[in-house]
Amino acid sequence: TSLGGRPRHRVALPQREAVELVIVNINGQVVRNLLDGVIYAAGEHAVNWDGRNNAGGRVASGLYLYTIRAGDFTANRRMILLR
């Protein structure tokens, strides 16, 4: 996904679940723990990333990978952050 501004991640849940969303750089280093066990109701949800790391600093434009976990579901995706 090519993204400018605030990247948005969509999560569709069949039931209420705890959701984790972790963003890493291309070296595998954790950039941001965006969601850490946040409970969401069943349905579709959008999660925005402000392009900042866990310390609050702005990250550089480039390729990032993210993992979404909810219940037994895990998905790995990539995105390009454009500033």
Side-chain angles (χ1 to χ4, degrees):
T1 305
S2 293
L3 303 162
R6 290 185 169 227
R8 177 173 289 175
H9 310 285
R10 296 200 181 277
V11 179
L13 302 173
Q15 62 190 23
R16 181 183 160 122
E17 292 280 2
V19 179
E20 295 178 11
L21 196 156
V22 178
I23 299 169
V24 300
N25 63 23
I26 59 172
N27 297 319
Q29 299 165 313
V30 173
V31 172
R32 181 83 180 262
N33 295 306
L34 199 56
L35 299 175
D36 189 12
V38 176
I39 304 294
Y40 279 96
E44 191 168 314
H45 305 275
V47 180
N48 294 322
W49 178 38
D50 60 4
R52 296 187 180 274
N53 61 24
N54 281 334
R58 287 177 50 146
V59 300
S61 294
L63 178 65
Y64 292 87
L65 310 171
Y66 62 98
T67 300
I68 298 174
R69 291 185 189 90
D72 294 332
F73 173 81
T74 300
N76 298 297
R77 302 281 187 263
R78 63 181 174 216
M79 66 179 149
I80 298 173
L81 176 66
L82 301 173
R83 294 252 182 226

